[in-house]
Amino acid sequence: MSDSSIDLRGVMCPINFVKTKLKLEAMNPGEILEVILDSGDPIQNVPKSIKEEGHKIVEVKKEGDFFRLKVQRS
Amino acid sequence: MTDHFIEDKTTKVTVAVDGTEAQKFDFNDLKSGGFIKQRQKDLFTVRLRCPGGRLSTEKLLEISKIAHKYSKKGVVHFSFRQSLEILYVDYKEFSNVVAELEKIGQKVASCGPRVRVPTACGGCEYNPNGLTDTQKMADMVDKTFFGTPTPHKFKTSFSGCPIDCARTKEMDMGFQGVVDPTWEEESCTGCTICSEACKEDAIASDPDTGKPIFDPVKCLFCGDCIRACPTEAWKPKRYGHIVRIGGKHGRHPMEAVEVCSFLPDEKVPDAIKMTIDWYNANGKRGERIGNALKRVGLDNYLKHMEPVFQNTAKAGA
């Protein structure tokens, strides 16, 4: 389903966003990155920043204490 | 009224300018011009006018040169209201300093009973949280109202969002950015990010569909839901300002009261003008607007402001 995956559980803001950004930049436009984020600060901040960078969040699933996002690289 | 800036209100000093002409300085004029007496004999602080604390790097370079030339100690200070102050300037050199600053388009600020230089955060131009163009508003207030005489000092500020870095609750008149969020069911996927993104618990998620249940009473109108929503189901309906009146810090701090919950940009100049009119008509000399409001009554002020504040329905309404 996704071309790449990054598990950011336990990674603090804004390092989690920077890691997501770097991963996305290494991918090709249109490819899908799976991002796993903790609830709380990470889920409050990282999706906003991903959007502001121009990428698209195509799927969000809550799984207990964390979120599984699918992000399409711009 | 006590003036803390220049104690001697009557002294006129004859100063030789350029070694030839003699010019009289009236210390009463000086205080309106942002020259603040220092402990040290003959030395003053020259406060520059930097609305919103923003300067071009080009201007900053030129200011640095002037500060380096005229500050006897070679130091500047960032004032609490975002303006740059050149310290240790000899009053005999005021005309030269002002002339050199004038050449690069840099004005001197003010002290005393008048509208002061507005302060502002970065605003929506570059700050991701920013909802209003606070810098543009600060510039407008500076150009339109700076120096207008009032019974006592009149401080304004602009915050771009409810985090309120510009401390609008401590201003004589403060403007804090808000956005009215609106939600469209069709584009919502029930992902629940908005309810996670909301720091105020104003959005709950429906246990079955995941779709938001919005509580406008808890909402601070910060726009986090709009920014976090992956599908643009949350959209900005309109942007505006919460208006707060009568705050101050100092020896006896007072918290400003909210008098308008959603004022659009274009009504801000009118709101300030009408407020200054009310203050000048009702305030006693040396009385801050917060104390004038306490004495005369908030209702009196609100009635005066009706033409501006009417039809500015609360956000979320």
Side-chain angles (χ1 to χ4, degrees):
Chain A
M1 274 271 290
S2 49
D3 301 289
S4 194
S5 178
I6 186 166
D7 188 346
L8 295 168
R9 280 175 287 185
V11 182
M12 309 279 281
C13 297
I15 305 302
N16 43 18
F17 167 65
V18 175
K19 287 191 168 187
T20 308
K21 181 180 154 69
L22 290 173
K23 194 95 180 172
L24 282 164
E25 276 166 12
M27 292 166 65
N28 295 317
E31 285 187 332
I32 303 288
L33 173 68
E34 181 189 63
V35 185
I36 302 173
L37 288 170
D38 286 317
S39 56
D41 271 357
I43 196 66
Q44 285 180 354
N45 295 308
V46 178
K48 287 191 291 199
S49 306
I50 292 173
K51 262 181 75 185
E52 274 150 14
E53 290 275 314
H55 307 296
K56 202 173 171 192
I57 299 164
V58 291
E59 196 186 298
V60 182
K61 273 189 187 147
K62 190 171 184 176
E63 298 182 10
D65 273 354
F66 62 91
F67 282 79
R68 198 180 293 271
L69 273 63
K70 295 242 161 71
V71 181
Q72 186 171 37
R73 192 212 191 276
S74 65
Chain B
M1 198 190 87
T2 327
D3 193 295
H4 304 283
F5 298 105
I6 293 172
E7 289 121 38
D8 188 345
K9 294 189 171 190
T10 50
T11 318
K12 288 195 180 173
V13 199
T14 309
V15 186
V17 182
D18 298 327
T20 51
E21 286 171 66
Q23 187 184 328
K24 283 203 167 173
F25 272 106
D26 184 342
F27 273 53
N28 277 321
D29 294 340
L30 290 185
K31 65 178 185 272
S32 62
F35 300 89
I36 306 148
K37 194 183 177 305
Q38 291 190 191
R39 256 166 203 262
Q40 292 80 8
K41 185 178 179 296
D42 294 346
L43 297 182
F44 284 71
T45 292
V46 178
R47 180 179 291 166
L48 305 184
R49 191 169 147 194
C50 312
R54 181 162 165 143
L55 278 172
S56 70
T57 50
E58 207 175 311
K59 205 179 245 187
L60 184 60
L61 280 169
E62 295 305 321
I63 293 170
S64 303
K65 289 181 203 159
I66 296 167
H68 188 65
K69 183 168 164 189
Y70 290 102
S71 169
K72 299 281 180 230
K73 237 185 168 178
V75 277
V76 296
H77 174 248
F78 294 104
S79 82
F80 261 92
R81 287 190 51 85
Q82 301 183 306
S83 285
L84 201 60
E85 297 172 334
I86 307 174
L87 308 183
Y88 296 92
V89 176
D90 193 310
Y91 74 90
K92 293 187 270 317
E93 296 188 299
F94 281 167
S95 317
N96 298 335
V97 178
V98 171
E100 287 199 33
L101 288 168
E102 196 68 42
K103 241 183 263 173
I104 58 161
Q106 179 59 53
K107 300 250 181 350
V108 174
S110 72
C111 327
R114 52 188 60 82
V115 177
R116 303 295 188 83
V117 183
T119 55
C121 68
C124 69
E125 180 193 335
Y126 57 91
N127 187 306
N129 291 315
L131 302 169
T132 48
D133 196 343
T134 56
Q135 290 288 322
K136 190 185 86 188
M137 298 310 286
D139 199 53
M140 178 279 292
V141 172
D142 184 63
K143 285 198 170 89
T144 317
F145 300 103
F146 172 79
T148 306
T150 42
H152 200 343
K153 61 181 83 167
F154 190 79
K155 294 179 178 178
T156 59
S157 84
F158 291 87
S159 281
C161 78
I163 299 169
D164 198 18
C165 294
R167 290 150 173 75
T168 60
K169 295 178 187 79
E170 298 173 17
M171 297 299 138
D172 294 288
M173 190 171 197
F175 297 84
Q176 180 227 291
V178 277
V179 60
D180 207 354
T182 176
W183 177 73
E184 276 176 9
E185 182 154 22
E186 310 85 74
S187 28
C188 178
T189 58
C191 78
T192 76
I193 277 197
C194 57
S195 83
E196 295 291 327
C198 179
K199 297 178 176 80
E200 306 303 321
D201 274 330
I203 303 175
S205 291
D206 185 286
D208 299 323
T209 63
K211 298 207 169 181
I213 303 159
F214 177 56
D215 181 356
V217 175
K218 285 182 179 170
C219 183
L220 290 186
F221 308 100
C222 68
D224 275 353
C225 51
I226 300 167
R227 286 170 62 205
C229 178
T231 59
E232 320 286 330
W234 281 105
K235 283 191 178 71
K237 192 162 99 190
R238 50 184 188 145
Y239 293 96
H241 308 262
I242 285 178
V243 184
R244 299 191 166 100
I245 292 285
K248 66 198 253 332
H249 28 251
R251 292 178 182 226
H252 305 282
M254 275 166 63
E255 191 169 311
V257 290
E258 185 178 319
V259 287
C260 180
S261 60
F262 211 100
L263 192 73
D265 270 5
E266 63 271 18
K267 285 194 172 183
V268 170
D270 267 356
I272 297 174
K273 191 196 168 289
M274 296 277 287
T275 299
I276 294 171
D277 288 349
W278 183 89
Y279 186 26
N280 278 328
N282 292 279
K284 287 183 185 168
R285 200 166 139 79
E287 181 183 51
R288 293 288 284 270
I289 194 169
N291 290 317
L293 286 163
K294 271 190 181 169
R295 184 174 50 78
V296 181
L298 186 64
D299 287 348
N300 183 296
Y301 168 77
L302 289 174
K303 196 163 165 46
H304 172 82
M305 295 301 288
E306 236 173 46
V308 191
F309 289 160
Q310 70 183 353
N311 304 323
T312 53
K314 202 173 165 60

